[in-house]
Amino acid sequence: MRGWIIPPPKVPVKTMAEHAIERQRKVRWLEAQGLLESARIRAALLKVPREEFVPREYRDYAYEEVPLPLPGLRATISCPHSYPLFYEPLGLDRGQRFLEIGTGSGYGAAVAREVVGDAGLVVSVEIDPLTHEFAKRNLEHAGYRDVILVLGDGGLGYPAAAPYDRICVTAACADIPPPLIEQLGPGGRAIAPLLEDERQNLTLVTKGPDGLRRKTLCEVLYVALRGAYGD
Ligand code: SAH
């Protein structure tokens, strides 16, 4: 079975300035790889201090291309390139209503909040209580006070703030859970790692007037979705 190799936990020694330099370098690398084009996503990635969303013992690895473990049963902060990988095809932009399934560290929600801005909305649902608490602390500490954080099964979405313009599922599932498709507005887009045999394919779904359009983007490796639509 394939998997990620997690670096060993250690006492952090890097300064804020060093993290800032790594953050800028990472953004330049993402652009060079052709993964990052949107000016708003670029500005968000330059602004959000990813190291503040990583547990202390993994903080010095914040800008390395590995997912890092988080408090909770099976939670990780995804590797840095996954955020533009999801948000670019979603066309995440100013003023949108955004729903994330799998809050994890809260980093993806913070980046999304920077992209949608004051006129938009970010709702993020996490099923694991320990992970939810961790994300809540991180977002508060980083000054993100208007992100709606929900403890619950994200497969059911969050009808109270529907409809959404964009939905991002950050855990692997057999198909996009039907409640999420229902809560997507007309012309809305959803993205998720979908399980096909032993593989996970990042898939973009668009809700058009004639039904759903699907596009397979690339192979990815995410933790499995739990709950009513999980394993
Ligand atoms: N977006 C996160 C990474 C998420 S990792 C970040 O930026 O850090 C996937 C997360 O999905 C884990 O925290 C896991 O606990 C959560 N998860 C799994 N199944 C879920 C479900 N049904 N509802 C909500 N969260 C779920």
Side-chain angles (χ1 to χ4, degrees):
M1 161 102 189
R2 294 164 322 138
W4 292 100
I5 295 172
I6 307 302
K10 67 182 192 80
V11 176
V13 294
K14 288 183 184 166
T15 62
M16 256 174 81
E18 284 172 308
H19 283 301
I21 290 169
E22 290 195 16
R23 185 156 62 247
Q24 286 160 16
R25 226 182 258 150
K26 176 95 293 178
V27 167
R28 281 200 296 273
W29 178 83
L30 291 167
E31 287 178 301
Q33 296 292 310
L35 284 162
L36 176 59
E37 284 177 4
S38 145
R40 286 191 76 83
I41 299 176
R42 179 180 186 277
L45 293 173
L46 280 174
K47 182 159 176 200
V48 182
R50 181 173 159 91
E51 64 277 11
E52 292 188 13
F53 292 82
V54 170
R56 200 180 132 73
E57 64 273 28
Y58 296 111
R59 188 156 298 183
D60 280 0
Y61 308 117
Y63 294 93
E64 290 188 18
E65 280 303 327
V66 280
L68 298 166
L70 302 176
L73 209 58
R74 262 188 288 168
T76 57
I77 178 168
S78 311
C79 35
H81 86 270
S82 19
Y83 298 86
L85 188 71
F86 279 59
Y87 293 173
E88 285 279 357
L90 266 184
L92 191 63
D93 209 346
R94 189 201 299 267
Q96 291 174 342
R97 300 171 70 83
F98 174 78
L99 173 66
E100 176 184 48
I101 312 307
T103 315
S105 62
Y107 174 71
V111 171
R113 174 62 183 79
E114 291 294 339
V115 177
V116 302
D118 289 340
L121 174 77
V122 174
V123 179
S124 184
V125 190
E126 171 60 51
I127 202 166
D128 190 301
L130 276 178
T131 315
H132 168 79
E133 280 309 315
F134 178 70
K136 202 166 146 193
R137 270 200 313 277
N138 292 341
L139 283 160
E140 271 167 18
H141 181 247
Y144 295 94
R145 301 194 202 308
D146 60 3
V147 169
I148 301 179
L149 292 180
V150 183
L151 174 62
D153 182 357
L156 307 174
Y158 184 65
Y164 301 98
D165 300 301
R166 300 290 186 263
I167 298 181
C168 178
V169 185
T170 64
C173 41
D175 203 351
I176 302 207
L180 300 184
I181 299 293
E182 274 163 40
Q183 291 168 36
L184 199 58
R189 295 184 200 171
I191 197 165
L194 297 190
L195 294 159
E196 276 154 47
D197 304 320
E198 295 294 287
R199 299 156 63 105
Q200 296 178 15
N201 290 320
L202 185 63
T203 307
L204 181 71
V205 173
T206 307
K207 192 173 185 176
D210 313 319
L212 298 181
R213 249 184 307 129
R214 284 162 185 276
K215 190 175 173 196
T216 300
L217 302 174
C218 59
E219 194 179 346
V220 289
L221 187 53
Y222 277 78
V223 300
L225 189 77
R226 295 160 55 186
Y229 296 94
D231 53 4

